[in-house]
Every structure is written in C-alpha cells, then in structure tokens.
Amino acid sequence: MIEYHLGIDSTDSLKLGMCTTYLGARIIEALAGMGCEFERSPDLVRLNPNIPWKTRGNGAVCIRMMHAEGGAEEIMRVAQGLTDKLSVLEDEQANPGIALVTGSVPEELKDLYIKAVHEVVEIEYAISVGELCGALMKGYKNRRGLIGALSAIGAMDMPNWTWETMAYRDPYSRTRERMVDPSSIASLSLRYPSTFFNIDGSGKPLCIPHSPCPVMFGIRGTDAVDSLKAASEVACSGMERWVLWRTNQHTDAHIETVENIDYLKELSSVRMKGGVARRPSYHPGGHLSFSLEDGRNHTIDCWAYEPTKDFRKRLRGLIEGDVVEVWGGIRAEEDGMPACINLEKVLVIELVQLMKRTNPHCPECKGPTESMGRGQSLRCKACGFRNGTLHPVLRPVERDLCTGFIDPPEVAWRHLYRPSWLEFSKEPTKTPASFWGRGPLSPITGGMISVRSERSNREQGVKKRGLNA
Ligand code: ATP
C-alpha cells in the first residue's frame, strides 16, 4: 500500500447548487468501495478569501488515502466520473480541477498552498508546479480549479486546524429550507463548548446554509470527537451522508504580519500595528472608517462595513493617538478609491489618556465653583468663597473603550477568521476512527478518544471578554 492525495475544486454553483465537499464525500465512498483505506480525515481548506472569482468561501478539498501501488489511474477515473456526473459545468463560475499525487506530498505543493492562501496564483504557474511534482491533473473549462485542487494537496502540514462535521442531504433537493430543528442546535452548543459558530447572539442558527447546495448543516469546533457527537445530536430529517473534515477554518492561516504600509499587497490579508490618525466616522450605508498611521508617516484607511453591526459601534470609541493592531484583507484601489484594509478584528493596545478642564469643589462648603471672569480665579457658587488661588484643574476622562480585542459578531466572520478567544489544542487532536458515513449520524457513545482537557474555548472566550457565562 502507498499513499495518494487527491485534490478537487471548483465544481459548484451559487445558484444551481452542489458543493465541492459533497462531491468529495461521494468520491470517498466510491474510493472506499474499491479498497482505498483512509487513515486520516480529508482536508477542507479555504484559500485566499480576497479572490474576486470565488463562488463562496474559496474552499477546496483533499482526500488522503492508502491504496495498492499502480492505483493512480483508477483513482483518477473514479474522481473524474463523479465530477462529470455531479459538478455544475453549465455555471460559468464552475471550472473543476482534479489533481492526484502518489507518495508523500512534495515541498513545492506545500509552498503552493501557502501562496494560494496569501496571494493570487496564475493557472499556468499552478499547473507547472503540478507537472514538476508529477501530479496527474484534469482541468475542466478554463482549468482554474486546478489551482485549488493542487493547493489543497499541499495543505498537508497546516500548523493549526479545526474540524467541521458536515451533514449532507439529497443533492437534487435544491430547496433553500432544511429539515433541521434549530432548537437542537442551540442546546448542543451548550453541551459541546469546544464547538462554535452554531448560533448567533439571538439564538439563530449559523450552521445551516440557505443556498440550494447539498449541505444540511456543519458543526465546527476544535475537537474532532465533540464536533461529531454534537452533529449526531442535531434533530433533522433526510441526512444522506456525513463527513468529518479537518480544516484551516478559523485559524487566521491567511494573515501575514507586516511592519508597515510598504509591505501591503493587494488582495492579501495582513496584521499590522499602527496609531489612529483620524478617528472613526460613519459613511452612507452605515459603514465606518478610520485612518491608521504605520509609524513612518504613511496612512491607510481601515473599514468596518454595516454587516459587522456592533463591531463598528465598539470601534467608534477610538480617537487619534490610540495604538492598535488590525487584522484584515487589502482591498485593491478601485474607481478612484485608494487601497484600504477591510477589518476582520482589532486589538486595542494603548489608549490615549484624555484630560478635561474642570472646576474643583469649594474647599469650604464643597459646593460648585464658577469663574469670576476671563483670566480670574474661581469662586464658590453656593457660599461665595474665593481666595484668588482657586483655578480649574485637568482631570482624566474615562474612555468608553478599553484595551483588548474587538471581534465582530459571528454573522460577519469569514471562514478563515480566528476569533481572538479561540485556542487550539496543544497536542494533536486524535481523529475518531471513522470520519465519514452514509445515512444519519447515530449518537456516538464510545470507541473514540478525545485529548482535549483544557477549559473550553467558549469558557475562555467568555472569561476574556469579561462577560457572564
Ligand atoms: P465553495 O466554497 O462553494 O467551494 P468557492 O468559493 O471555493 O466555492 P470556487 O468555485 O472553488 O469557489 O472558485 C474559486 C476558484 O478560485 C477556484 O477555481 C480556485 O482554484 C481558484 N483559486 C483559489 N485560490 C486562488 C488563488 N490564491 N489565486 C487564484 N485562484 C485561486
């Protein structure tokens, strides 16, 4: 038996349905049927979130398996057959790519994954890397899907990862509604605190898509077993199959730390420290922006858009001179609008101490004091006391903002966005023995091991944000 890595991307359509992860699930089943063995969960990776031609979350998948030597063509045949059958080729946006590597993953593909998360990759470049690595490739239409397919193979050594158990329904049922009881999701969120992105602050489910795609729901978390168990407790009907994906979601994999504005590249995502040069102000549509100075006298505008809701309200408290670190995507210069940072989160590092001139209380009767005129001292309004030395004093003003992270609400999270409170397991999380199946997920009672022993992320998040549980 030797190892094979099969990458797939760009098979779906926003309007007409399908999902590359569903196709992945079908391919896993078919490959299992021909004797492939899976020792680890398949990978679902999110690539550069700023790519203009992505359909949704710029996701691509890689199935890693063991099979007899000489099995590459058969694996490709199975993958191609199902891609021909299920992908939405009639949608202009779908340009499927399938790539297969035999043996260990070459360094060049690992570098391609890093590049595809941070930059824009040319199709020809990706194909040349695939050829160099001896990958078998099948690109449909403009072959752009090969970028994601090859990059997903290269995601072998992601330093941090999370899990998502995805449940699927019949792919031909293209309704926007799912047969899922939202109250079961609210209650499992409490029972499995290592899972997140289940419901928003008002209890509305976030993990159920509204598109015509085959995904019924997805349970994300930092513990594989919890994610599976939680998914098995979702009250739903019509589950056709499920897969537990290892993912780079919510790991900030797309973020690069840069020293100053000179290092910003369009369509990349960065983390940069600076001082507030112009305090936040609102614009038509409810969007908010402030200007950030990078310590070298260069400034760039940072934007928080209307859908980020309370995030804007909290940022509004910043003033000139405050020191912050921002995380966000670089929006290219467009229609006369200069390049800017679309904010994902902000760390408030230092707040300027604001001072206000106030009149002291009367030293005799503690009553309020008032000025006796321009350039003169104060006198007591209540008892009339004056001694010629009573003058206004400067007192610190309490800011309506404190140091620490400002995160947007869940509804505004991008797939790769790492909430400031999310911590990954120190040791590698053990994967359950089984990570895919047909039919409904039955409640899992034993046979699986969890190595998470730390406090839950949610507890930590609640504590860090100073909220009551
Ligand atoms: P979904 O999340 O539903 O799978 P999607 O947002 O992933 O949809 P795709 O249909 O996969 O959308 O389209 C994204 C396309 O962009 C793919 O063809 C992929 O190969 C390509 N792509 C991904 N990352 C990059 C990159 N860094 N540079 C250039 N092209 C990229």
Side-chain angles (χ1 to χ4, degrees):
M1 298 280 259
I2 54 167
E3 55 186 288
Y4 294 90
H5 306 262
L6 175 70
I8 310 146
D9 192 17
S10 197
T11 63
D12 51 28
S13 158
L14 202 54
K15 288 196 212 93
L16 304 174
M18 258 310 288
C19 173
T20 302
T21 71
Y22 176 79
L23 175 61
R26 292 283 296 265
I27 294 175
I28 290 172
E29 183 185 44
L31 293 174
M34 64 178 241
C36 290
E37 286 175 16
F38 308 95
E39 289 176 355
R40 49 187 295 167
S41 280
D43 288 338
L44 159 58
V45 294
R46 302 290 176 172
L47 301 170
N48 189 340
N50 307 318
I51 291 297
W53 46 86
K54 66 180 183 176
T55 323
R56 271 181 295 235
N58 204 3
V61 303
C62 178
I63 302 163
R64 307 185 191 277
M65 72 212 102
M66 304 294 287
H67 191 48
E69 211 164 318
E73 302 212 328
E74 200 186 350
I75 294 171
M76 275 304 269
R77 194 179 45 74
V78 166
Q80 221 174 296
L82 280 162
T83 305
D84 291 343
K85 184 172 165 196
L86 292 169
S87 61
V88 190
L89 289 168
E90 60 271 36
D91 189 315
E92 198 194 331
Q93 292 272 84
N95 295 284
I98 309 170
L100 182 72
V101 163
T102 304
S104 55
V105 176
E107 291 303 315
E108 291 82 356
L109 281 180
K110 294 181 184 172
D111 293 345
L112 181 70
Y113 162 67
I114 306 284
K115 204 172 162 62
V117 174
H118 296 294
E119 299 172 26
V120 178
V121 175
E122 299 292 334
I123 303 175
E124 290 69 28
Y125 175 77
I127 292 174
S128 70
V129 174
E131 280 167 354
L132 182 75
C133 298
L136 295 183
M137 291 179 272
K138 167 72 186 165
Y140 296 68
K141 295 162 67 183
N142 74 12
R143 303 193 295 171
R144 191 183 273 148
L146 281 172
I147 302 170
L150 289 158
S151 303
I153 296 175
M156 183 78 187
D157 301 333
M158 36 175 126
N160 293 312
W161 60 86
T162 62
W163 302 92
E164 179 163 0
T165 302
M166 282 194 176
Y168 301 98
R169 58 179 182 165
D170 173 359
Y172 300 106
S173 131
R174 301 217 164 108
T175 56
R176 289 179 185 270
E177 294 75 39
R178 270 81 175 153
M179 303 287 280
V180 178
D181 174 4
S183 68
S184 65
I185 293 169
S187 78
L188 70 85
S189 305
L190 299 173
R191 281 196 305 285
Y192 297 100
S194 69
T195 66
F196 54 84
F197 203 68
N198 298 326
I199 47 168
D200 69 10
S202 67
K204 224 171 88 200
L206 294 162
C207 57
I208 307 174
H210 301 289
S211 63
C213 80
V215 177
M216 195 175 220
F217 62 84
I219 301 292
R220 300 178 181 194
T222 50
D223 183 277
V225 176
D226 278 4
S227 155
L228 262 179
K229 281 187 175 175
S232 75
E233 292 181 24
V234 174
C236 62
S237 136
M239 194 191 299
E240 187 205 77
R241 65 188 66 238
W242 56 272
V243 173
L244 170 67
W245 298 96
R246 185 182 78 133
T247 89
N248 64 356
Q249 291 171 163
H250 308 295
T251 64
D252 268 356
H254 60 315
I255 299 284
E256 263 176 304
T257 304
V258 295
E259 283 286 308
N260 58 57
I261 289 171
D262 292 348
Y263 293 99
L264 300 186
K265 284 179 279 175
E266 288 183 353
L267 305 181
S268 68
S269 302
V270 298
R271 168 183 177 172
M272 191 179 81
K273 193 172 159 183
V276 175
R278 175 183 53 77
R279 68 181 64 195
S281 55
Y282 278 102
H283 301 269
H287 313 307
L288 176 126
S289 81
F290 64 88
S291 166
L292 190 72
E293 197 266 326
D294 64 355
R296 291 165 45 122
N297 242 348
H298 295 153
T299 57
I300 186 161
D301 279 354
C302 300
W303 285 79
Y305 299 101
E306 192 279 332
T308 62
K309 305 290 175 198
D310 276 4
F311 184 51
R312 296 163 307 154
K313 285 198 196 122
R314 293 185 61 204
L315 290 173
R316 182 81 161 104
L318 290 169
I319 59 169
E320 290 80 3
D322 288 342
V323 180
V324 294
E325 194 160 14
V326 300
W327 279 251
I330 308 299
R331 197 179 69 193
E333 188 181 333
E334 202 184 1
D335 301 333
M337 280 275 289
C340 65
I341 302 181
N342 289 344
L343 292 172
E344 289 184 21
K345 65 177 171 248
V346 171
L347 172 63
V348 180
I349 299 172
E350 247 177 77
L351 290 172
V352 167
Q353 180 62 72
L354 277 183
M355 304 298 277
K356 191 178 160 202
R357 271 166 72 92
T358 48
N359 294 349
H361 289 294
C362 169
E364 289 293 310
C365 75
K366 310 289 177 232
T369 57
E370 64 183 354
S371 170
M372 292 192 293
R374 205 178 157 81
Q376 295 189 53
S377 63
L378 305 170
R379 90 170 146 227
C380 178
K381 269 166 106 172
C383 71
F385 174 84
R386 59 176 143 165
N387 63 3
T389 62
L390 214 49
H391 289 287
V393 289
L394 285 177
R395 285 199 208 288
V397 177
E398 211 183 307
R399 299 279 306 273
D400 54 0
L401 191 70
C402 46
T403 53
F405 276 101
I406 305 183
D407 287 279
E410 278 103 332
V411 73
W413 292 3
R414 304 176 102 180
H415 290 291
L416 283 166
Y417 165 78
R418 176 185 181 177
S420 63
W421 47 266
L422 187 77
E423 288 185 12
F424 307 109
S425 305
K426 300 283 177 291
E427 308 155 61
T429 308
K430 286 190 183 138
T431 312
S434 168
F435 53 81
W436 67 277
R438 274 209 75 143
L441 247 168
S442 53
I444 297 146
T445 47
M448 301 195 187
I449 347 134
S450 169
V451 295
R452 260 195 76 83
S453 55
E454 316 119 68
R455 278 175 305 126
S456 71
N457 291 311
R458 190 151 300 246
E459 273 171 12
Q460 291 174 16
V462 164
K463 196 162 169 221
K464 281 195 186 137
R465 281 170 289 163
L467 303 170
N468 293 323

